[in-house]
């Protein structure tokens, strides 16, 4: 029996917004908590077996071989492994949705079809294909998890070229408006957040056995117990008994926060505000200077790490239609008022909120004020309906379910990694000396101090595809 002590899980993301990395971090935290629990249970069983002095053969093997630990790497593949101009094109996502969202919506809808996706992948593939091969051969993952739609088709091609069967899983982080690029034929498993996303998958004619409806990955801290609402409100400097509205603009502080704060203040609604500006330091500074002039009490925060406490202290949340924030709010049984959305990509999120009756859409200041006025009214039937539905729709433990699903694709504990197989040994003999050096450098990087890692000497070598396998006649990819 093999003594497997560690498995490697590789997450592929792109920082085109906070959502993809947040999802990867949420799953990673769940994986670590599962691993910690497994290790503790193994230690308990082992100690119990020693104390009893009676062990079956099965228990003896179990006590000898601990459960595996997990080495987890999260990689922004476009930033770290793609070439010009693909890396720069991907960076246009943020400025486009901020300054010309209508243009982004048009691009989303025009590209959301098979022909456009295949053509775009043909153009982009040569700019990232070799980088993916280098990434896989240096990290040597036991399972690969994609959390971005633009990575999936080219990853399938790269794995086929590599000639090794490494399980490849896609975690979809769009609730309803699932772009065609998310579902690439050849992926081993697809994890989707909603029934609507699953229906789109099935309409593509893909294998129904490979899709798992598990929910949206949110930070496991949303599953932990918190203080009661009154205690949290006092902790945050609020006055219990007065309705609390939480205003969130996303990680970058976008979403019309100043307009919403101004409208609520001018309407003199009987509410207290918790305002989270995210990474928008300029907005944070502005609101800190001016919040004493508001006609409603307001607490101003920048980027926060206690969002579960803020949500449990609030009675309603006002936010743009980001899928992560919506699912976090529902896990805290918090009704949602959507103040904006990204055309195309987030349109389905609006439909999700409205059709499940867990909130409302308020794109204009007057709609926001009127909607909040109805929700904060004592005994509001609309608020009670949203609360009931939120508890039915939410999946606060989704990250744990997703983590367990990913772990199910790993090799069995008594099996060696594909990277230790004779097949990989044969492939290695065909590799160029330059790539072998890249693999050794990658392994060394994990043991070096950060200042040395930033040295130009330690920068990743740029390999051409034809240099990957020095004697592989069909190793070129066009």
């Amino acid at each position: 029996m093999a003594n497997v002590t560690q498995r490697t899980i590789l997450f592929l993301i792109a920082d085109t917004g906070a959502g993809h990395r947040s999802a990867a971090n949420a799953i990673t935290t769940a994986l670590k908590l599962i691993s910690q629990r497994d290790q503790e249970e193994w230690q308990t069983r082992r100690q119990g077996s020693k104390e009893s002095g009676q062990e079956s053969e099965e228990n003896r093997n179990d006590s000898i071989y601990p459960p595996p630990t997990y080495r987890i790497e999260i990689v922004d593949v476009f930033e770290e492994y793609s070439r010009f101009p693909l890396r720069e094109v991907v960076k246009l996502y943020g400025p486009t949705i901020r300054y010309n969202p209508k243009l982004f919506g048009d691009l989303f809808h025009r590209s959301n079809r098979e022909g456009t996706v295949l053509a775009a992948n043909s153009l982009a593939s040569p700019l990232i294909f070799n980088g993916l091969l280098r990434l896989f051969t240096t990290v040597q993952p036991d399972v690969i998890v994609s959390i971005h739609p633009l990575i999936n088709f080219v990853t399938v091609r790269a794995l086929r070229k590599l000639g090794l069967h490494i399980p490849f899983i896609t975690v979809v982080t769009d609730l309803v408006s699932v772009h065609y690029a998310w579902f690439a034929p050849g992926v081993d498993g697809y994890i989707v957040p909603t029934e609507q996303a699953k229906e789109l998958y099935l309409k593509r004619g893909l294998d129904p056995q490979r899709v798992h409806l598990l929910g949206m990955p949110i930070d496991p801290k949303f599953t932990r117990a918190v203080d009661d609402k009154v205690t949290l409100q006092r902790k945050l400097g609020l006055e219990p008994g007065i309705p609390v509205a939480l205003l969130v603009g996303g990680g970058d502080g976008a979403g019309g926060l100043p307009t919403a704060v101004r409208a609520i203040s001018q309407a003199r609604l009987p509410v207290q505000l918790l305002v989270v500006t995210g990474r928008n330091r300029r907005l944070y500074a502005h609101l800190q200077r001016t919040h004493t002039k508001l006609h409603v009490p307001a607490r101003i925060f920048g980027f926060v790490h206690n969002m579960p406490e803020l949500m449990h202290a609030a009675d309603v949340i006002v936010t743009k239609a980001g899928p992560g924030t919506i699912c976090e709010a529902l896990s805290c049984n918090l009704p949602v008022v959507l103040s904006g959305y990204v055309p195309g990509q987030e349109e389905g999120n609006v439909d999700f909120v409205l059709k499940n009756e867990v909130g409302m859409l308020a794109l204009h200041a007057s709609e926001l004020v009127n909607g909040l006025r109805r929700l904060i009214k004592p005994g509001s039937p609309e608020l009670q309906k949203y609360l009931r539905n939120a508890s039915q729709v939410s999946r606060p433990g989704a990250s744990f379910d997703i983590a367990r699903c990913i772990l199910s694709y790993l090799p069995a504990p008594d099996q060696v990694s594909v990277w230790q197989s004779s097949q990989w040994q044969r492939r290695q003999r065909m590799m160029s000396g330059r790539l072998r050096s890249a693999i050794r450098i990658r392994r060394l990087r994990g043991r070096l101090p950060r200042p040395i890692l930033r040295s130009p000497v330690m920068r990743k070598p740029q390999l051409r595809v034809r240099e990957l396998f020095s004697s592989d006649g069909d190793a070129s990819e066009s």
Side-chain angles (χ1 to χ4, degrees):
M1 179 182 293
N3 184 6
V4 177
T5 59
Q6 189 178 74
R7 297 294 191 191
T8 299
I9 302 172
L10 173 62
F11 286 91
L12 307 180
I13 68 164
D15 281 318
T16 53
H20 304 292
R21 186 172 291 275
S22 296
N25 288 336
I27 301 171
T28 295
T29 302
L31 286 166
K32 291 178 179 178
L33 291 172
I34 291 173
S35 177
Q36 179 181 349
R37 183 206 61 195
D38 290 346
Q39 295 292 331
E40 291 173 351
E41 291 179 352
W42 175 77
Q43 290 286 358
T44 301
R45 290 196 305 271
R46 187 183 186 191
Q47 187 64 31
S49 299
K50 286 183 177 180
E51 292 176 355
S52 66
Q54 296 180 350
E55 291 182 292
S56 65
E57 185 66 27
E58 180 179 352
N59 288 339
R60 187 174 298 111
N61 288 333
D62 181 61
S63 66
I64 294 173
Y65 300 120
T69 57
Y70 306 111
R71 169 180 162 238
I72 299 171
E73 298 224 10
I74 302 174
V75 177
D76 182 339
V77 291
F78 292 107
E79 178 65 25
E80 299 184 40
Y81 289 91
S82 72
R83 295 163 49 195
F84 179 86
L86 181 59
R87 181 172 56 249
E88 283 66 31
V89 169
V90 172
K91 291 178 182 178
L92 294 176
Y93 171 83
T96 303
I97 65 170
R98 190 174 299 116
Y99 300 113
N100 199 337
K102 184 178 182 302
L103 172 62
F104 178 84
D106 291 341
L107 291 173
F108 181 93
H109 289 297
R110 291 177 183 274
S111 66
N112 192 16
R113 57 193 64 154
E114 181 180 10
T116 308
V117 169
L118 295 180
N121 272 277
S122 296
L123 291 173
S125 182
L127 303 175
I128 194 173
F129 185 86
N130 172 63
L132 286 176
L133 287 174
R134 178 163 48 88
L135 171 63
F136 299 157
T137 53
T138 53
V139 173
Q140 298 190 348
D142 294 291
V143 64
I144 299 172
V145 183
S146 166
I147 312 186
H148 199 284
L150 301 183
I151 302 171
N152 302 323
F153 279 79
V154 66
T155 298
V156 171
R157 295 176 63 189
L159 288 174
R160 286 174 179 166
K161 178 60 64 177
L162 194 59
L164 302 175
H165 181 253
I166 304 168
F168 178 36
I169 303 166
T170 293
V171 178
V172 177
T173 56
D174 288 325
L175 298 179
V176 176
S177 302
V178 182
H179 195 276
Y180 190 96
W182 272 112
F183 300 131
V187 174
D188 295 282
Y190 306 82
I191 297 173
V192 297
T194 63
E195 192 66 48
Q196 295 94 322
K198 182 178 179 179
E199 290 174 2
L200 284 175
Y201 169 88
L202 296 175
K203 286 181 180 179
R204 290 277 302 276
L206 298 170
D207 185 357
Q209 300 300 318
R210 298 192 180 195
V211 64
H212 310 277
L213 175 54
L214 300 178
M216 177 77 181
I218 61 174
D219 197 301
K221 64 187 177 185
F222 284 91
T223 65
R224 298 170 191 160
V226 295
D227 294 328
D228 62 85
K229 187 182 291 287
V230 171
T231 301
L232 289 173
Q233 290 177 348
R234 285 183 176 141
K235 180 180 177 181
L236 294 168
L238 302 172
E239 184 176 342
I242 300 177
V244 178
L246 172 62
L247 277 62
V248 180
D252 295 322
L257 274 181
T259 302
V261 172
R262 193 181 311 114
I264 295 170
S265 172
Q266 291 175 351
R268 299 176 184 267
L269 292 180
V271 297
Q272 305 171 94
L273 300 184
L274 295 172
V275 184
V276 179
T277 63
R279 298 185 182 89
N280 192 328
R281 296 180 180 178
R282 180 178 298 180
L283 176 59
Y284 173 77
H286 169 73
L287 291 176
Q288 282 283 32
R289 289 194 307 268
T290 61
H291 81 278
T292 56
K293 299 178 182 179
L294 298 175
H295 301 299
V296 295
R299 295 295 311 282
I300 312 300
F301 302 89
F303 191 86
V304 300
H305 298 282
N306 64 332
M307 188 60 79
E309 288 188 341
L310 297 178
M311 288 188 174
H312 281 288
D315 297 290
V316 63
I317 184 172
V318 180
T319 178
K320 65 183 285 290
T325 304
I326 290 173
C327 292
E328 290 169 358
L330 296 181
S331 73
C332 296
N333 209 31
L334 190 61
V336 179
V337 177
L338 299 178
S339 58
Y341 61 89
V342 176
Q345 182 176 317
E346 293 180 351
E347 291 172 4
N349 300 343
V350 176
D351 294 337
F352 176 81
V353 169
L354 298 182
K355 290 181 179 179
N356 286 288
E357 296 186 301
V358 294
M360 65 178 67
L361 177 65
L363 297 180
H364 304 290
S366 59
E367 295 174 331
L368 173 61
V369 169
N370 292 333
L372 285 177
R373 184 176 282 117
R374 295 197 307 271
L375 291 179
I376 64 176
K377 184 178 180 181
S380 168
E382 194 171 9
L383 177 66
Q384 296 305 315
K385 177 181 67 175
Y386 292 160
L387 289 173
R388 289 193 303 270
N389 293 337
S391 63
Q392 296 174 0
V393 174
S394 67
R395 292 174 177 261
S399 292
F400 290 98
D401 295 333
I402 294 170
R404 293 187 187 96
C405 182
I406 291 171
L407 293 179
S408 71
Y409 284 86
L410 289 172
D414 59 345
Q415 291 180 351
V416 298
S417 170
V418 67
W419 300 100
Q420 297 173 322
S421 66
S422 58
Q423 184 181 8
W424 172 237
Q425 301 303 319
R426 291 193 298 269
R427 297 292 286 177
Q428 274 189 300
R429 286 193 291 269
M430 293 187 291
M431 287 166 44
S432 67
R434 194 176 178 190
L435 183 57
R436 292 175 189 169
S437 297
I439 295 174
R440 287 194 295 270
I441 290 173
R442 176 75 188 205
R443 292 171 179 169
L444 179 63
R445 285 171 63 88
R447 300 191 294 270
L448 293 178
R450 188 178 297 273
I452 295 179
L453 294 179
R454 291 175 176 172
S455 167
V457 177
M458 294 302 298
R459 293 176 62 186
K460 302 179 183 68
Q462 299 296 318
L463 303 176
R464 296 185 179 88
V465 173
R466 58 185 172 83
E467 294 175 330
L468 181 63
F469 298 105
S470 58
S471 60
D472 190 351
D474 64 345
S476 61
E477 184 73 15
S478 59

